[in-house]
Amino acid sequence: MTVSILLFLPIVAALLVLLFKNETVKHAALFFALVELGIAAYFLASFVPDASVQYAIDAPWIPKMGIYFSAGIDGISMIMVLLTTVLVPLIILTTYKHEYKNAKAFYALILFMQAGLLTVFTALDGFLFYVGWEAALIPIYFICALWGGENRIRINIKFFIYTFAGSLFMLLGIIYLYLQTPTKVYDLKSFYELSLTLTQQSWVFWAFFIAFAIKMPIFPFHTWQPDTYTEAPSAGTMMLSGIMLKMGIYGVIRWLIPNAPAGFLQWQNLVMILSVIGIVYASLIAFNQKDGKRLVAYSSIAHVGLIAAGIFAWTTQGVQGAMIQMLSHGINVVGMFFIWDIISRRLNTRDISQMGGIAKVAPNFSIAFLIILLGTVALPLTNGFVGEFLLLKGVFNYNIWFAAVAGLTIIFGAVYMLRMYKNVMQGETNELTAIFTDISGSEKLVLGIICLLIIGIGVYPQPILHISEAAVTNLVNTVSAKFNNAQF
């Protein structure tokens, strides 16, 4: 069995979902997402955690142009496959309390987007990588445009222009690398083997970096994110924050630094500075947010800034921290946005100042909220802790002052998140919050699974770290060896 089944099943499922009607649509979408998760679990069970690529497919696609349908899974890709296949069924479950116009199109777009995401995370051909990158963008554009908030059109256009423009820069970088290969192919391994000058690598670096920095996003390429996260429907926000932004992080690890190691060294310090600025900036802005969903959006920018800094420090600890933190951040941010989805559906507002005392009328909800929040602020024995610890260690090895600033803003994050919890959940109820009902049914199931993942990964993270350890170590060492090449 090859990875192709993971890539094509969601496309087939998306088409089949269009045949269903009424309530059966969401059940069908969930069923197909769970089948996809089952296949990923099968791959994981037989996965050998070394540096090799497994379940590979390498079939001619447009061979006259050097384009092959080449994809596979190594330890780095496996983490991303798990992230995607675990979160998509959870995200579909979060929609069970919603009613959507043209629901079959809504769920079909989610499944089609899953196919694009998995293509990005497993592609070993530059052209296929670009196709997956754009294939993931199209469905989320329509999800936000058709089911988003009042200002969705203006904000969605901004989001599309930002991300599409970044994609064009990346396409230019891919085509340039293709033209430099002796056999004119888009094969990733052939890209890695190129010997480019410092000037060439600098241009390649920026072509890829702009695309990835927008997607993550890194300061100052972040301006589309808070508005888009706020106006998108809850499921769209979860797909964007939980999975889609990881495309940029993954792209840096797989496609940017290994293809332009000299360019990376030249601009490494600048990107580290931008990442740390993003952490500080987003944390300070989050302090002043009254909209709970928008607060979580800025919190996400701060967390991604730390992940970026850990990667660009380029140590095994930093990249390993990024791998487990991508998984943990995806789980936690989906949980936080679902928390605010529940609150906004019951109260018809996300204004923190109008709330209070919800813990008294919804004890199960308050416990789940607290566990997800503690994972988000990286309390020891939660899933966020080990990733942030490794990331800070990587940044510390690069520059102690960068690590100090990043560490302080993590403390700021804990302060504004705990203050949010206090204002929403503690104190006395008012006329608005007194009617708040506790979680039930699919809400309890989703939050229960997320809380178990937060605690389980936090208490015993070694199995997750073991999956990517060999692949990360091999990649970091291979690229680091190029740093000493006399040509650079």
Side-chain angles (χ1 to χ4, degrees):
M1 186 182 295
T2 69
V3 70
S4 57
I5 189 171
L6 277 176
L7 308 185
F8 288 110
L9 178 61
I11 298 175
V12 175
L15 296 175
L16 291 176
V17 162
L18 294 173
L19 303 177
F20 290 86
K21 296 180 180 179
N22 304 324
E23 288 293 308
T24 56
V25 172
K26 62 180 68 173
H27 300 318
L30 178 60
F31 170 77
F32 289 122
L34 289 173
V35 171
E36 188 81 347
L37 175 59
I39 295 170
Y42 171 80
F43 282 157
L44 178 63
S46 56
F47 180 75
V48 179
D50 57 19
S52 66
V53 175
Q54 300 163 50
Y55 318 114
I57 180 172
D58 188 15
W61 189 5
I62 314 175
K64 290 183 178 180
M65 298 180 63
I67 299 171
Y68 290 79
F69 193 92
S70 179
I73 299 175
D74 67 354
I76 297 171
S77 296
M78 180 56 77
I79 298 293
M80 309 313 299
V81 169
L82 291 175
L83 171 74
T84 307
T85 55
V86 168
L87 289 186
V88 168
L90 285 176
I91 291 170
I92 292 173
L93 263 176
T94 67
T95 67
Y96 266 46
K97 301 284 186 177
H98 287 269
E99 295 294 332
Y100 299 100
K101 291 183 179 179
N102 199 3
K104 56 187 179 182
F106 179 82
Y107 290 106
L109 287 169
I110 289 178
L111 292 171
F112 188 77
M113 183 177 175
Q114 183 183 30
L117 292 164
L118 289 170
T119 300
V120 167
F121 296 142
T122 60
L124 300 175
D125 179 274
F127 187 83
L128 180 63
F129 177 78
Y130 180 76
V131 168
W133 187 274
E134 294 301 319
L137 172 63
I138 295 168
I140 194 63
Y141 171 82
F142 284 108
I143 288 172
C144 295
L146 298 177
W147 293 278
E150 293 181 1
N151 298 318
R152 63 187 184 276
I153 301 301
R154 174 180 59 84
I155 290 169
N156 211 35
I157 290 173
K158 179 181 179 180
F159 162 63
F160 184 82
I161 291 173
Y162 254 84
T163 52
F164 187 70
S167 300
L168 290 179
F169 281 105
M170 183 179 71
L171 178 61
L172 290 175
I174 291 172
I175 293 173
Y176 183 79
L177 291 174
Y178 158 80
L179 292 174
Q180 304 310 306
T181 60
T183 54
K184 297 296 182 289
V185 292
Y186 290 90
D187 177 57
L188 179 61
K189 186 178 179 182
S190 297
F191 286 180
Y192 283 3
E193 293 172 351
L194 291 173
S195 296
L196 303 178
T197 65
L198 175 59
T199 301
Q200 288 175 310
Q201 291 195 42
S202 292
W203 285 110
V204 170
F205 176 90
W206 282 104
F208 280 101
F209 177 75
I210 291 172
F212 298 151
I214 290 171
K215 191 72 75 177
M216 292 166 73
I218 293 177
F219 178 90
F221 302 96
H222 68 284
T223 57
W224 64 268
Q225 190 251 46
D227 290 336
T228 305
Y229 280 21
T230 303
E231 291 297 320
S234 292
T237 305
M238 294 174 198
M239 292 291 290
L240 279 166
S241 60
I243 312 173
M244 193 171 185
L245 74 79
K246 311 305 187 301
M247 291 166 54
I249 302 171
Y250 174 84
V252 168
I253 296 171
R254 180 76 78 194
W255 292 87
L256 172 58
I257 296 175
N259 280 324
F264 159 75
L265 279 183
Q266 185 177 22
W267 300 104
Q268 181 183 22
N269 200 56
L270 174 61
V271 177
M272 292 290 290
I273 292 171
L274 292 178
S275 299
V276 173
I277 289 174
I279 300 171
V280 177
Y281 168 82
S283 298
L284 294 177
I285 297 295
F287 266 110
N288 298 317
Q289 297 305 308
K290 294 183 179 180
D291 184 312
K293 194 176 181 183
R294 198 171 183 87
L295 186 152
V296 176
Y298 277 105
S299 172
S300 179
I301 294 176
H303 282 92
V304 170
L306 179 58
I307 295 174
I311 293 171
F312 276 88
W314 201 248
T315 63
T316 302
Q317 295 92 343
V319 180
Q320 271 286 75
M323 295 307 305
I324 193 168
Q325 194 64 6
M326 279 193 280
L327 181 63
S328 298
H329 176 270
I331 294 167
N332 295 338
V333 79
V334 165
M336 288 302 300
F337 280 123
F338 187 43
I339 289 290
W340 280 102
D341 177 54
I342 293 171
I343 291 173
S344 62
R345 274 192 291 108
R346 282 165 167 70
L347 305 181
N348 293 316
T349 182
R350 297 190 301 262
D351 189 338
I352 296 171
S353 64
Q354 296 183 27
M355 300 177 194
I358 291 178
K360 292 185 176 180
V361 294
N364 293 329
F365 178 70
S366 69
I367 293 170
F369 192 169
L370 182 60
I371 292 172
I372 295 169
L373 184 144
L374 294 177
T376 303
V377 302
L379 186 77
L381 299 182
T382 65
N383 63 345
F385 174 74
V386 65
E388 292 203 352
F389 177 80
L390 290 172
L391 288 165
L392 280 174
K393 187 176 180 181
V395 177
F396 181 87
N397 290 336
Y398 178 81
N399 186 299
I400 187 173
W401 296 111
F402 287 175
V405 174
L408 283 175
T409 50
I410 289 172
I411 296 173
F412 294 160
V415 171
Y416 65 70
M417 294 297 281
L418 289 169
R419 186 182 68 174
M420 173 190 70
Y421 183 85
K422 177 180 178 294
N423 291 339
V424 172
M425 306 303 292
Q426 302 300 315
E428 298 298 323
T429 58
N430 53 42
E431 292 183 1
L432 183 65
T433 59
I435 60 172
F436 195 97
T437 56
D438 211 347
I439 53 175
S440 61
S442 60
E443 296 170 337
K444 187 177 289 187
L445 178 60
V446 171
L447 292 178
I449 292 171
I450 289 174
C451 290
L452 286 174
L453 289 171
I454 289 171
I455 296 170
I457 296 174
V459 172
Y460 191 45
Q462 184 54 37
I464 303 298
L465 292 169
H466 185 57
I467 292 171
S468 60
E469 182 177 11
V472 166
T473 302
N474 179 68
L475 184 63
V476 170
N477 291 341
T478 300
V479 174
S480 297
K482 294 183 179 181
F483 296 163
N484 299 320
N485 190 308
Q487 184 179 345
F488 297 161

